[in-house]
Amino acid sequence: DQQVKQNSPSLSVQEGRISILNCDYTNSMFDYFLWYKKYPAEGPTFLISISSIKDKNEDGRFTVFLNKSAKHLSLHIVPSQPGDSAVYFCAAPPGGTSYGKLTFGQGTILTVHP
Amino acid sequence: DAGVIQSPRHEVTEMGQEVTLRCKPISGHNSLFWYRQTMMRGLELLIYFNNNVPIDDSGMPEDRFSAKMPNASFSTLKIQPSEPRDSAVYFCASSLRQEQYFGPGTRLTVT
């Protein structure tokens, strides 16, 4: 039972354009979400997060949107740069105040072409 | 500040040998996680500790795998005996709140 799903295995975008990475979840107890970026031969790097009390969180070129009714979140990267090419994972910890283990999506490979 | 430190970065061993992976979490973090990444299964949690106590080891594949955290600054993941299907990248991560910070990983190859 995959509680966090990234249905697009890959995404290809031209430099300077917007990249939109999507993530769906099924567990209504999830109330906090994180995005990680992973380069080959490196560990995942925390990118941005959002609490369910918000519907948007922005950090520079990165914005995460949360639609609780649809159980959907998305990561927007504007403008996209070749250095953004990596695997992106969305993740969620257990609901409530528990910090415990993260449930990760399968990841989306983003390729930004010069 | 140093991030999560893992050693070795690469390990090649023969089937049947014991393998020990090491992790030093970020100072001040109270949770530590061991993950395994493979092409088939993606990133899967093996075990995690909170305040040096194992909380959830349901992801540990079988009795050949064991993990310890003797103190707040050190953890080990041991595989004995190792098998070719254990070949993967093993990540350690630590956290204080929801955000987990990952080490660079250990690439294990069992021949």
Side-chain angles (χ1 to χ4, degrees), chain A residues 12-19 61 77-85 110-114:
Chain A
S12 182
V13 171
Q14 203 70 28
E15 181 179 6
R17 306 295 289 269
I18 184 171
S19 296
R61 297 185 297 114
I77 306 173
V78 183
S80 302
Q81 299 173 354
D84 296 329
S85 298
L110 173 65
T111 303
V112 181
H113 298 283

Side-chain angles (χ1 to χ4, degrees), chain B residues 1 5 17 20-21 25 32 37 41 43 60-61 63 75 77 80 104 107 111:
Chain B
D1 282 342
I5 299 172
Q17 296 298 306
T20 300
L21 311 181
L32 183 140
Q37 183 175 36
R41 301 173 69 89
L43 193 62
M60 295 286 261
D63 292 345
S75 176
L77 177 67
Q80 165 64 16
R107 179 173 293 278
T111 61

Side-chain angles (χ1 to χ4, degrees), chain A residues 20 23-24 36 41 50 54 57 59 61-62 67 71 75 80 84 86-87 96-97 103 112 114:
Chain A
I20 301 177
C23 180
D24 298 296
Y36 283 82
I50 188 167
K54 295 183 176 182
N57 189 25
D59 183 2
R61 297 185 297 114
F62 301 90
N67 182 333
K71 294 191 175 68
L75 175 68
S80 302
D84 296 329
V87 181
T97 58
T103 300
V112 181

Side-chain angles (χ1 to χ4, degrees), chain A residues 10-38:
Chain A
S10 63
L11 175 68
S12 182
V13 171
Q14 203 70 28
E15 181 179 6
R17 306 295 289 269
I18 184 171
S19 296
I20 301 177
L21 299 140
N22 294 303
C23 180
D24 298 296
Y25 61 97
T26 57
N27 190 338
S28 58
M29 293 296 292
F30 288 156
D31 58 8
Y32 194 87
F33 302 90
L34 306 94
W35 282 95
Y36 283 82
K37 177 172 70 175
K38 186 182 180 307

